[in-house]
């Protein structure tokens, strides 16, 4: 992996002002192992679905599964590795929700970035978003996978209406 691109990164979460507990899970993997290093750095944010049972469990399971599966995948295609890892995470979360009554209905959204050399490969599920800052301008680069996101793309809602939409 080239060290041409110098980045600074940090991680953290905040419970916010609405919930009484944090359902977020974040991870930055900057591997030193050569086999993992060639697959790049991995940045994961999983947001357990607020109000749903065991959101913090879902976000942890999803994040840990993506990390494990991404680096274990033998594919040379980063896009395929991300897709396979996210699909595996979905299966793990769904399986856990089905096997435990205390996990029934749990879910999470997620955004994952694999940074390899000077390229970023991004996957998202739900309304966890990725943004880019270019020349001081912040731009959303992922689409929300939600009812409201679909309504915006269909031209039924404006972004302003979406900000106050109950869903």
């Amino acid at each position: 992996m080239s060290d041409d691109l110098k980045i600074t990164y940090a991680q953290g979460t905040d419970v916010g002002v609405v919930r009484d507990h944090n359902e977020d899970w974040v991870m930055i993997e900057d591997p030193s192992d050569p086999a993992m290093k060639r697959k790049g750095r991995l940045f994961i944010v999983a947001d357990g679905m607020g109000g749903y049972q065991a959101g913090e469990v879902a976000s942890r399971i999803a994040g840990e599964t993506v990390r494990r599966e991404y680096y274990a995948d033998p594919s040379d295609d980063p896009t395929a590795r991300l897709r396979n890892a996210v699909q595996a995470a979905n299966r793990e979360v769904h399986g856990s929700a089905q096997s435990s009554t205390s996990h029934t209905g749990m879910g999470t959204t997620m955004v994952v970035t694999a940074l390899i050399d000077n390229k970023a490969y991004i996957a998202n599920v739900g309304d966890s978003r990725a943004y880019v800052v270019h020349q001081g301008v912040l731009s959303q680069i992922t689409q929300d996978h939600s009812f409201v996101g679909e309504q915006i793309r269909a031209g039924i809602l404006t972004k302003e209406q979406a900000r106050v939409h109950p869903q």
Side-chain angles (χ1 to χ4, degrees), residues 21-125:
H21 66 285
N22 197 340
E23 296 182 340
D24 300 341
W25 190 89
V26 298
M27 188 225 54
I28 299 169
E29 182 71 44
D30 191 358
S32 58
D33 174 81
M36 290 173 61
K37 192 172 184 79
R38 73 174 181 79
K39 294 181 180 181
R41 296 179 183 124
L42 200 60
F43 301 81
I44 303 172
V45 176
D47 182 5
M49 290 162 52
Y52 287 92
Q53 195 166 357
E56 68 280 1
V57 174
S59 62
R60 179 185 49 77
I61 290 171
E64 290 174 351
T65 302
V66 164
R67 181 202 174 277
R68 181 185 69 240
E69 295 296 321
Y70 176 81
Y71 286 113
D73 193 317
S75 173
D76 288 329
D77 179 1
T79 303
R81 285 195 305 266
L82 280 176
R83 181 180 50 250
N84 294 340
V86 169
Q87 289 173 342
N90 181 62
R91 288 189 300 273
E92 290 283 329
V93 170
H94 185 263
S96 182
Q98 297 297 310
S99 67
S100 171
T101 57
S102 66
H103 295 170
T104 300
M106 73 177 181
T108 189
T109 66
M110 173 181 279
V111 64
V112 183
T113 300
L115 189 59
I116 305 169
D117 296 324
N118 292 334
K119 291 185 181 179
Y121 301 85
I122 300 168
N124 78 303
V125 176

Side-chain angles (χ1 to χ4, degrees), residues 96-167:
S96 182
Q98 297 297 310
S99 67
S100 171
T101 57
S102 66
H103 295 170
T104 300
M106 73 177 181
T108 189
T109 66
M110 173 181 279
V111 64
V112 183
T113 300
L115 189 59
I116 305 169
D117 296 324
N118 292 334
K119 291 185 181 179
Y121 301 85
I122 300 168
N124 78 303
V125 176
D127 60 2
S128 285
R129 299 171 177 165
Y131 294 85
V132 67
V133 178
H134 180 67
Q135 297 181 340
V137 177
L138 180 70
S139 301
Q140 183 177 336
I141 59 172
T142 55
Q143 290 186 353
D144 288 1
H145 306 122
S146 65
F147 173 75
V148 173
E150 291 292 327
Q151 298 293 298
I152 292 169
R153 285 188 290 283
I156 297 168
L157 290 176
T158 65
K159 287 186 179 184
E160 292 74 30
Q161 291 169 321
R163 285 187 182 94
V164 296
H165 195 280
Q167 293 182 328

